[in-house]
Amino acid sequence: MAKRALITGVTGQDGSYLAEFLLDQGYEVCGMVRRSSTVTFERIAHIQDRIELVAGDLLDEVSMINILKEQRPDEVYNLAAQSFVQASWNQPVLTGETTALGVTRILDAIRTVNPEIRFYQASSSEMFGKVQAVPQGEDTPFYPRSPYGVAKVYGHWITVNYRESYDLHASSGILFNHESPRRGLEFVTRKVTHGVARIKAGIDQTLALGNLDAQRDWGYAADYVRAMWLMLQQDQPDDFVVATGETHSVKELVELSFAAADLDWEKYVVIDERFLRPAEVDLLVGDPAKAERTLGWKREVDFPTLVQMMVEADLNLVKNQLA
């Protein structure tokens, strides 16, 4: 019997890569989508005929219970969230409802319908925020610096609570920034690579950015979804930091991106105060030692290769849009 997996947030960057990966492993994949006019399916268009899509909402526990009863998944991957840090300042309550309480609703649905279901919670490096240690590992204290980070801390701890209270196989992946050509345009990596492509095509003359000195631990999304799956294959549930262990500044991202298109970044980049966050996070860099040791996970794509891949994809995208 093929294993069945339910992915919330299947239309997002991680959801699309995870769905692909699980299909390659021989899984039957079911993706949960909200009944809303804004859902875009472009990231999963190439596999849409191979996965089943069901309507559900993290705000509605009854819909979660019904999906679990009907689909009977062996594994549930909760990737759905209001996932943009900047937007969480404008929508703090909605962010809490989906990104925090949404986790409780799923866990409670699993406990009610079938406690044998294995559960993955997408935790985030934003939980570390004002970092208490460098690098950050599984035991580093959290100090979130945005409503998004706060909501993710709640989701993380409620997962631990349900694991310990109800003996659920519930694991959290504390993922550091992970990017790809499927990243949303509101994220700085994609904003830069897409901006480069638009400048190269002569559409734009400048690219407005915020803090060029901000540093992040950036990896490739397709590498990171493999770690999610590995967590649910372990005998014991646990929490794992998934990261590269390296940091790069936004400035370095900018330099590599413009160089990939044979452009001089200093001619085009302007600093715009509007893009500075109310509270900036410090040096986010993860220690993936435990994931490497216990899961046998290793990232395969390094930072320069990732940036090159994203710039090339955006150059093609913009070219095709103009054609």
Side-chain angles (χ1 to χ4, degrees):
M1 276 282 287
K3 275 192 183 172
R4 284 180 72 76
L6 170 69
I7 304 172
T8 73
V10 72
T11 57
Q13 168 188 256
D14 294 7
S16 66
Y17 281 112
L18 179 62
E20 267 175 11
F21 176 80
L22 293 175
L23 287 170
D24 288 345
Q25 303 298 315
Y27 278 65
E28 293 171 359
V29 176
C30 170
M32 187 182 95
V33 290
R34 272 178 314 171
R35 275 211 178 91
S36 78
S37 55
T38 55
V39 173
T40 60
F41 294 97
E42 61 197 54
R43 293 188 184 96
I44 56 167
H46 62 296
I47 51 170
Q48 210 168 321
D49 57 346
R50 298 173 61 200
I51 61 181
E52 190 175 345
L53 295 177
V54 293
D57 198 317
L58 291 182
L59 302 182
D60 176 18
E61 190 174 329
V62 173
S63 73
M64 303 301 316
I65 289 171
N66 289 337
I67 287 171
L68 294 180
K69 281 181 175 169
E70 287 159 18
Q71 297 299 325
R72 303 171 68 149
D74 301 289
E75 298 171 359
V76 171
Y77 295 86
N78 181 37
L79 310 185
Q82 190 298 101
S83 65
F84 187 42
V85 176
Q86 196 76 35
S88 77
W89 292 101
N90 303 326
Q91 300 180 305
V93 176
L94 177 70
T95 300
E97 281 286 355
T98 52
T99 308
L101 291 175
V103 187
T104 316
R105 293 186 189 103
I106 296 191
L107 284 164
D108 217 48
I110 288 172
R111 182 179 71 85
T112 306
V113 176
N114 176 11
E116 295 302 305
I117 292 171
R118 296 191 171 198
F119 176 77
Y120 171 83
Q121 167 59 12
S123 286
S124 165
S125 60
E126 288 285 334
M127 301 190 305
F128 295 119
K130 187 174 179 181
V131 301
Q132 304 299 294
V134 178
Q136 294 89 51
E138 290 78 10
D139 299 325
T140 305
F142 300 135
Y143 196 137
R145 298 271 278 172
S146 66
Y148 171 77
V150 172
K152 279 292 186 186
V153 170
Y154 177 98
H156 181 83
W157 280 117
I158 202 71
T159 301
V160 172
N161 271 245
Y162 269 68
R163 173 168 79 216
E164 294 176 351
S165 305
Y166 301 117
D167 203 23
L168 296 183
H169 195 298
S171 294
S172 285
I174 305 172
L175 270 53
F176 280 67
N177 295 61
H178 45 289
E179 318 297 316
S180 75
R182 299 179 196 170
R183 192 56 144 149
L185 289 170
E186 66 272 26
F187 292 88
V188 70
T189 45
R190 186 72 200 293
K191 183 179 171 183
V192 169
T193 61
H194 191 253
V196 165
R198 287 175 63 87
I199 288 169
K200 185 75 175 175
I203 302 168
D204 292 343
Q205 306 305 312
T206 57
L207 175 63
L209 295 170
N211 181 8
L212 292 190
D213 297 323
Q215 301 212 13
R216 294 290 183 275
D217 181 329
W218 276 304
Y220 176 40
D223 280 344
Y224 285 36
V225 300
R226 201 169 66 249
M228 301 175 183
W229 174 75
L230 285 166
M231 287 176 215
L232 298 202
Q233 311 318 306
Q234 304 304 306
D235 291 337
Q236 298 300 320
D238 206 347
D239 306 321
F240 295 91
V241 164
V242 181
T244 69
E246 302 171 358
T247 61
H248 301 275
S249 64
V250 173
K251 185 179 175 190
E252 203 178 330
L253 162 71
V254 166
E255 289 169 347
L256 285 169
S257 299
F258 277 88
D262 296 322
L263 296 169
D264 175 5
W265 73 274
E266 294 186 74
K267 290 181 181 164
Y268 304 100
V269 171
V270 293
I271 303 303
D272 188 330
E273 302 283 314
R274 285 178 311 157
F275 297 121
L276 299 173
R277 289 188 193 177
E280 181 58 83
V281 297
D282 303 317
L283 190 52
L284 284 175
V285 50
D287 177 4
K290 181 176 167 185
E292 290 174 353
R293 189 176 62 245
T294 308
L295 305 176
W297 177 83
K298 257 196 158 29
R299 64 105 183 243
E300 288 170 8
V301 174
D302 66 11
F303 185 65
T305 308
L306 171 64
V307 174
Q308 183 81 29
M309 177 197 302
M310 290 178 66
V311 172
E312 284 172 9
D314 275 329
L315 288 169
N316 282 329
L317 180 73
V318 170
K319 199 164 72 184
N320 291 336
Q321 285 169 343
L322 291 175

